[in-house]
């Protein structure tokens, strides 16, 4: 038997729980499981590159995130490092370049596969995120609009979602006032019971005048979860987050190396083993992808649609043959077929919504 003194020692003071740690309400809300459906909500993974110039509508930025400056150039989207005082390691910055006079609003959003968010439909959900403005923020107001939107179709594209073009599109909005300090915002709604797909979006007002050095806004720690209370944002870890992102986009380049870079690091290698010289061995993706991806091969000098012949460093035009959700079967092109020839290449595989 356990002595009374030991029982007393083991007893849990409910007042301490309420002040400090794990209350029954927090357990019920799922805080211990971090039920965040947002992939890359901490903006840790940027496989396509860590800095982008705005060019047109619906550009891919950090993995699983898309946005634009409403077709305006003159903006830069980049990965920034957090500090010890922030609950995330990286965050996204959307900045109108200094001296620019373009005035487009700026938006960033993401959408989710139907199978990952259908359970939320008809339920109360809460979106939470951290945001701040730069010292030279130029819009006439400090109001940023958050959007939680749904559709009645399945697995429709991210660009159509941000463009309000999903089948049965419906959205719920909230105005949020940002400052030059990090503020955590929450947006709670009840989703339509007939919805099949969910997405989120953030839009700033149009810029005014000429941009200063910090006409920007920053965002990090994005979370979407069941229930009417925002539980703490917790980073899922770079490895698990990368694996989830690779379901939608993968590459042979190092994590922070943008596709098309001139590098041998991590490249695939083929050997001249077929007498016809028309096919070589393909590759397997790091994880099964959402669907058959669009595959682009790159020579190690960065040229797309090419591989690099090892014997003379000449590029050869090639394509990826028989791609599928787990890899592609062969490299197709006028490949060398005599010893000791071979070729090197990188690939990207894009299966984004």
């Amino acid at each position: 038997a356990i002595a009374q003194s030991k029982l007393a020692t083991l007893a849990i003071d409910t007042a301490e729980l309420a002040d400090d740690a794990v209350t029954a309400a927090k357990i019920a809300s799922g805080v211990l499981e971090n039920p965040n459906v947002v992939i890359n909500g901490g903006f840790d993974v940027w496989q396509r590159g860590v800095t982008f110039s705005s060019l047109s509508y619906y550009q891919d930025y950090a993995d699983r995130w898309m946005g634009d400056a409403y077709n305006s150039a003159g903006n830069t989207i980049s990965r920034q490092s957090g500090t010890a005082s922030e609950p995330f390691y990286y965050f996204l910055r959307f900045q109108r370049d200094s001296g620019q006079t373009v005035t487009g609003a700026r938006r960033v959003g993401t959408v989710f596969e139907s199978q990952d968010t259908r359970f939320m439909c008809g339920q109360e959900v809460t979106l939470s995120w951290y945001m701040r403005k730069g010292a030279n923020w130029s819009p006439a107001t400090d109001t940023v609009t958050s959007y939680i939107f749904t559709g009645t179709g399945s697995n429709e594209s991210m660009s159509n979602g941000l463009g309000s073009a999903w089948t049965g599109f419906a959205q719920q909005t909230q105005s949020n006032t940002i400052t030059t300090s990090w503020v955590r915002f929450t947006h709670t709604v009840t989703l339509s019971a007939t919805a099949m797909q969910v997405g989120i979006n953030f839009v700033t007002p149009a810029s005014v005048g000429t941009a200063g050095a910090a006409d920007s806004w920053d965002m990090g720690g994005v979370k979407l979860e069941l229930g009417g209370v925002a539980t703490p944002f917790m980073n899922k870890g770079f490895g698990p987050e990368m694996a989830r992102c690779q379901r939608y986009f993968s590459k042979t380049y190092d994590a922070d190396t943008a596709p098309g870079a001139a590098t041998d690091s991590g490249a695939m290698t083929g050997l001249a083993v077929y007498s016809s010289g028309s096919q070589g061995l393909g590759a397997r993706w790091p994880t099964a992808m959402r669907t058959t991806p669009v595959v682009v091969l790159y020579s190690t000098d960065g040229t797309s649609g090419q591989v690099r012949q090892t014997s003379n460093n000449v590029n050869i035009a090639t394509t990826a043959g028989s791609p599928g959700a787990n890899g592609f079967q062969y490299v197709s092109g006028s490949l060398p077929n005599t010893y000791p020839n071979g070729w090197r290449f990188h690939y990207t595989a894009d299966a984004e919504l």
Side-chain angles (χ1 to χ4, degrees):
I2 301 175
Q4 284 290 7
S5 59
K6 290 184 178 180
L7 285 173
T9 301
L10 291 171
I12 298 174
D13 186 341
T14 56
E16 289 179 4
L17 280 175
D19 287 341
D20 213 21
V22 185
T23 65
K26 286 183 178 179
I27 293 173
S29 70
V31 62
L32 297 182
E33 298 178 0
N34 189 28
N36 187 6
V37 302
V38 178
I39 298 174
N40 204 24
F43 297 102
D44 296 291
V45 184
W46 295 64
Q47 291 189 88
R48 295 176 177 88
V50 297
T51 302
F52 299 84
S53 296
S54 64
L55 300 173
S56 58
Y57 288 108
Y58 309 125
Q59 292 178 246
D60 292 310
Y61 300 140
D63 281 59
R64 302 270 34 247
W65 291 91
M66 175 181 282
D68 53 48
Y70 285 84
N71 209 30
S72 294
N75 289 266
T76 299
I77 301 88
S78 61
R79 187 184 73 185
Q80 301 290 317
S81 296
T83 66
S85 64
E86 294 157 7
F88 34 80
Y89 193 73
Y90 291 117
F91 58 89
L92 177 146
R93 172 165 293 167
F94 205 138
Q95 178 165 349
R96 188 167 65 136
D97 300 334
S98 181
Q100 287 290 329
T101 57
V102 295
T103 57
R106 290 166 277 185
R107 63 178 166 185
V108 172
T110 185
V111 305
F112 315 106
E113 289 185 66
S114 297
Q115 66 192 39
D116 293 334
T117 49
R118 179 65 185 88
F119 72 95
M120 289 183 153
C121 297
Q123 305 295 317
E124 186 177 47
V125 300
T126 295
L127 172 65
S128 57
W129 72 100
Y130 293 81
M131 189 172 278
R132 68 181 177 185
K133 66 178 182 178
N136 303 122
W137 169 265
S138 69
T141 75
D142 294 328
T143 300
V144 173
T145 305
S146 53
Y147 297 78
I148 302 175
F149 57 89
T150 58
T152 55
S154 294
N155 295 335
E156 296 192 50
S157 72
M158 193 179 302
S159 58
N160 281 350
L162 270 61
S164 307
W166 276 357
T167 303
F169 180 87
Q171 65 184 16
Q172 300 183 66
T173 67
Q174 177 177 287
S175 295
N176 311 278
T177 301
I178 63 173
T179 71
T180 53
S181 298
W182 285 112
V183 175
R184 193 184 194 204
F185 297 93
T186 63
H187 181 181
T188 299
V189 304
T190 298
L191 299 177
S192 167
T194 61
M196 291 294 293
Q197 191 173 4
V198 181
I200 58 177
N201 195 17
F202 305 88
V203 180
T204 64
S207 302
V208 175
T210 301
D215 188 359
S216 60
W217 55 274
D218 301 334
M219 181 170 65
V222 186
K223 186 173 189 177
L224 181 66
E225 58 191 311
L226 277 175
V229 177
T231 59
F233 175 80
M234 293 184 283
N235 196 299
K236 299 169 186 173
F238 184 80
E241 204 73 280
M242 171 65 86
R244 295 186 75 196
C245 291
Q246 286 173 330
R247 174 170 167 78
Y248 304 88
F249 184 89
S250 66
K251 62 178 185 176
T252 47
Y253 297 95
D254 291 345
D256 288 347
T257 301
T263 179
D264 286 328
S265 180
M268 305 292 297
T269 299
L271 298 174
V273 294
Y274 290 96
S275 60
S276 66
S278 62
Q279 293 184 8
L281 296 177
R284 290 291 173 264
W285 320 133
T287 189
M289 303 195 74
R290 182 184 68 85
T291 188
T292 298
V294 175
V295 184
V296 179
L297 302 184
Y298 295 86
S299 165
T300 51
D301 74 353
T303 306
S304 63
Q306 311 272 321
V307 298
R308 190 77 162 173
Q309 186 167 325
T310 57
S311 62
N312 57 10
N313 289 325
V314 169
N315 286 344
I316 303 168
T318 53
T319 57
S322 298
N326 290 297
F328 69 99
Q329 183 182 1
Y330 59 91
V331 175
S332 178
S334 298
L335 303 172
N337 59 6
T338 58
Y339 176 85
N341 278 318
W343 56 89
R344 300 188 184 97
F345 66 93
H346 287 283
Y347 70 74
T348 59
D350 192 333
E352 187 55 84
L353 281 165

